Amino acid sequence: CVQLKSGDGSVGRELREKYALKVLHAKAAEVFNNKPKEIEAFLVEHELLPAEHTREDLARQVRRINGLHKRRLGEWLAKPGNEDIAKAFLADLDFRGRRIDDAMRLMLASFRLPGESQEINRLMEAFAPVLYEQCKAEPATRDIFASVDSVYIMAYSVIMLNTDQHNPQYKGRRMTEDDFIRNNRGNNEGKDYDRDFLRSVYHAIKSNE
């Protein structure tokens, strides 16, 4: 228990405000986890979001709420019409300096990838331009991807590799390093990726689902 001395009124006020905000965020998480479509009105009502706000503002505020159900969040971001929200949510993550599989791990630490192919497609369409722009901003990564489409295709390649290597229901021959490299041949706007890059991605996924 923190004991406040006389004259520490500002400290006590700050602690009370932090506690009140924590309680409000917990309530926001409860609202979102039960009915995601009601979260925007809740945030505005409780002044966590201004009445005049953009959908990007909404995405950034939702990302700052702890305790969100990862499956619900993934479904919300992948919902038709929420493409701008998904892109803003992902743009708020720092992918700089990360290889694509590491960037996808960071992304999926926030939400669970939905099971429907159309939902996955919408999320990858939001992810690709964000990662491409951040890669271009870093000297070490600016030359990896030739286009946003290249990122999109590689992201799907990573998802397919992960399924191939770790799906217990799959009983066929698992993809080898050479298979993975061959599958991505010419996928960078007609050019091949650096072999060491593909090898690193392959073994990272193979060893860690």
Side-chain angles (χ1 to χ4, degrees):
C1 180
V2 178
Q3 294 184 345
L4 300 176
K5 301 177 182 179
S6 59
D8 282 348
S10 61
V11 176
R13 184 168 57 254
E14 183 179 350
L15 289 173
R16 287 192 296 273
E17 289 174 353
K18 286 184 177 180
Y19 177 74
L21 183 60
K22 185 176 180 180
V23 170
L24 202 52
H25 272 210
K27 180 61 178 176
E30 182 181 342
V31 169
F32 184 92
N33 293 338
N34 286 311
K35 293 185 178 180
K37 66 180 181 180
E38 295 183 0
I39 189 61
E40 185 171 7
F42 177 89
L43 294 174
V44 171
E45 178 185 352
H46 294 278
E47 299 182 349
L48 293 173
L49 196 63
E52 298 295 328
H53 63 270
T54 66
R55 287 164 63 80
E56 290 76 12
D57 295 332
L58 172 61
R60 284 189 287 269
Q61 186 58 50
V62 167
R63 199 179 83 75
R64 283 156 176 74
I65 300 173
N66 293 321
L68 297 182
H69 193 286
K70 289 187 176 184
R71 179 179 61 81
R72 285 275 188 158
L73 180 56
E75 291 171 348
W76 181 69
L77 292 172
K79 188 177 180 180
N82 280 0
E83 291 84 357
D84 53 346
I85 291 179
K87 186 174 180 180
F89 184 96
L90 295 173
D92 208 34
L93 297 172
D94 188 0
F95 298 129
R96 291 174 300 174
R98 291 177 180 266
R99 201 173 53 222
I100 187 168
D101 55 297
D102 288 333
M104 293 176 74
R105 290 187 197 280
L106 176 61
M107 172 177 65
L108 296 176
S110 298
F111 61 85
R112 184 177 299 174
L113 203 63
E116 295 293 330
S117 59
Q118 289 183 334
E119 293 176 320
I120 295 173
N121 182 63
R122 281 190 285 271
L123 288 172
M124 292 305 101
E125 286 183 338
F127 170 73
V130 172
L131 183 63
Y132 179 74
E133 290 165 10
Q134 293 196 22
C135 281
K136 284 298 181 184
E138 292 290 314
T141 57
R142 67 168 52 130
D143 296 325
I144 293 177
F145 297 108
S147 68
V148 172
D149 285 344
S150 298
V151 180
Y152 174 86
I153 294 169
M154 178 57 69
Y156 258 105
S157 183
V158 169
I159 293 172
M160 292 173 62
L161 173 63
N162 185 73
T163 301
D164 172 89
Q165 296 294 304
H166 300 289
N167 187 345
Q169 297 179 344
Y170 179 66
K171 304 301 181 183
R173 185 181 74 89
R174 302 286 179 177
M175 194 184 305
T176 66
E177 177 187 305
D178 286 340
D179 291 333
F180 182 68
I181 292 173
R182 184 165 51 252
N183 290 346
N184 284 284
R185 188 169 294 158
N187 281 352
N188 197 16
E189 292 296 337
K191 298 179 181 179
D192 292 343
Y193 288 101
D194 179 81
R195 191 179 183 91
D196 288 338
F197 166 72
L198 294 176
R199 184 182 294 115
S200 296
V201 172
Y202 174 84
H203 287 286
I205 298 298
K206 180 180 174 67
S207 62
N208 185 10
E209 183 177 7

